[in-house]
Amino acid sequence: MSYHKRNKRRLSSVALCALLGLAGLVSKASAADQIGSNDTPEPPFDGRRFDNTKPKHDWSLIVGAGALYEPKYEGSDEFEVSPIPFVVFTYGEWLEIDPRGVSVTAYKANGFSVSGNVGYETGRKHDDGDRLKELGDIDFAATVGAKVAYEWGPVELYASVDQTINGSESLIGKVGVEYSAPVTERLMIGAKAEATIANDKHMQAYFGINAAQAARSGLTEYKADAGLKRVDVSASATYALSEHWLVRGEAGVGVLTGDAANSPIVEKKVQPSISAFVGYKF
């Protein structure tokens, strides 16, 4: 989501052995200095020669692929499987690039954070379902937005707003709570609950039917007003197969509400989804 909170790094076995070896060498060097104190002083001990720990870096890169099983469109009762390649790149605590777009954290202190993002809205094709055939396409478009969050231990409370540039000209707000915590050194679990509120342009574009569309499709003319569009809950698990390989699975269900749920294009209000991914972390 993010995609994600990171565990505190633990010392690897190689690094731990290097530190213990370094401590032993330093101890022996000190003892030798005491025995031969009258001899000519030797150059200072250079511990860096024996330090096998890997250099630390502030970035993380995960490359992988997966699949998503979800309704063909929002409100459909038919499902499809979509292959999804993905790249997740983070730098420090302020930059994240993932399949949703680019997020930059401008402020973070005492659990609070404020971030801005640039993303996209996929739109919709008229051939995604029988009820959409005469409704036309909704174009792919860019989005810009902002998010405010508060972290309290493993729990994050957040609120976000995103504006679509062209396309449906949607203004969408989300409020939610997310939990993420390690169960073991390899397994991380998460849970999330989220409510989505949309403006009238978004609701009319995706769920409304104007007079011309009604005449072409045979569906009833319908006006969808701004309001609460849907509520989603999900659960996820991420497991580290090794130092570099990881797998992640997520299952969720969304429930359309209000004018979205009552739209003539909606065949099913309950919208489940399942996804699975395999990634390599550099």
Side-chain angles (χ1 to χ4, degrees), residues 29-258:
S30 298
D33 286 342
Q34 291 176 1
I35 295 173
S37 58
N38 295 328
D39 297 338
T40 303
E42 295 184 359
F45 176 76
D46 185 5
R48 288 176 298 179
R49 296 181 182 179
F50 302 92
D51 188 357
N52 294 323
T53 57
K54 296 180 181 179
K56 294 181 179 180
H57 51 71
D58 292 332
W59 59 270
S60 172
L61 175 63
I62 300 175
V63 178
L68 175 64
Y69 180 71
E70 65 174 355
K72 287 187 173 182
Y73 68 89
E74 202 169 16
S76 175
D77 63 353
E78 295 183 86
F79 293 80
E80 63 180 0
V81 177
S82 303
I84 301 176
F86 72 94
V87 175
V88 179
F89 175 78
T90 60
Y91 186 83
E93 295 186 348
W94 65 275
L95 174 65
E96 181 170 349
I97 303 173
D98 61 30
R100 297 168 298 180
V102 179
S103 176
V104 176
T105 300
Y107 173 83
K108 188 171 186 179
N110 300 320
F112 286 97
S113 64
V114 179
S115 59
N117 62 78
V118 177
Y120 59 90
E121 183 180 271
T122 57
R124 190 181 67 192
K125 298 297 183 182
H126 69 277
D127 56 0
D128 287 343
D130 291 339
R131 298 192 187 188
L132 306 179
K133 290 188 179 300
E134 301 300 331
L135 302 186
D137 296 338
I138 302 174
D139 294 335
F140 178 97
T143 64
V144 294
K147 177 181 176 181
V148 178
Y150 176 71
E151 289 186 15
W152 184 38
V155 177
E156 180 185 67
L157 304 173
Y158 65 89
S160 66
V161 60
D162 290 279
Q163 174 68 58
T164 303
I165 309 301
N166 295 322
S168 66
E169 297 185 356
S170 299
L171 180 64
I172 294 179
K174 295 183 179 182
V175 293
V177 57
E178 186 171 4
Y179 172 86
S180 181
V183 177
T184 68
E185 291 185 358
R186 291 177 176 265
L187 177 64
M188 172 83 75
I189 62 169
K192 183 177 179 181
E194 181 179 81
T196 302
I197 303 167
N199 68 346
D200 54 358
K201 290 184 177 181
H202 175 91
M203 295 292 284
Q204 187 62 26
Y206 283 92
F207 300 100
I209 301 174
N210 60 33
Q213 291 171 326
R216 294 196 305 267
S217 66
L219 298 174
T220 305
E221 187 175 349
Y222 183 75
K223 187 176 187 304
D225 293 324
L228 179 65
K229 184 181 83 165
R230 62 184 291 159
V231 176
D232 290 87
V233 293
S234 63
S236 65
T238 303
Y239 186 77
L241 298 171
S242 66
E243 182 181 355
H244 296 288
W245 287 99
L246 59 88
V247 293
R248 175 181 171 83
E250 182 171 335
V253 60
V255 180
L256 295 173
T257 63

Side-chain angles (χ1 to χ4, degrees), residues 16-31:
L16 182 57
C17 291
L19 289 175
L20 291 175
L22 178 59
L25 288 171
V26 171
S27 176
K28 291 178 181 179
S30 298

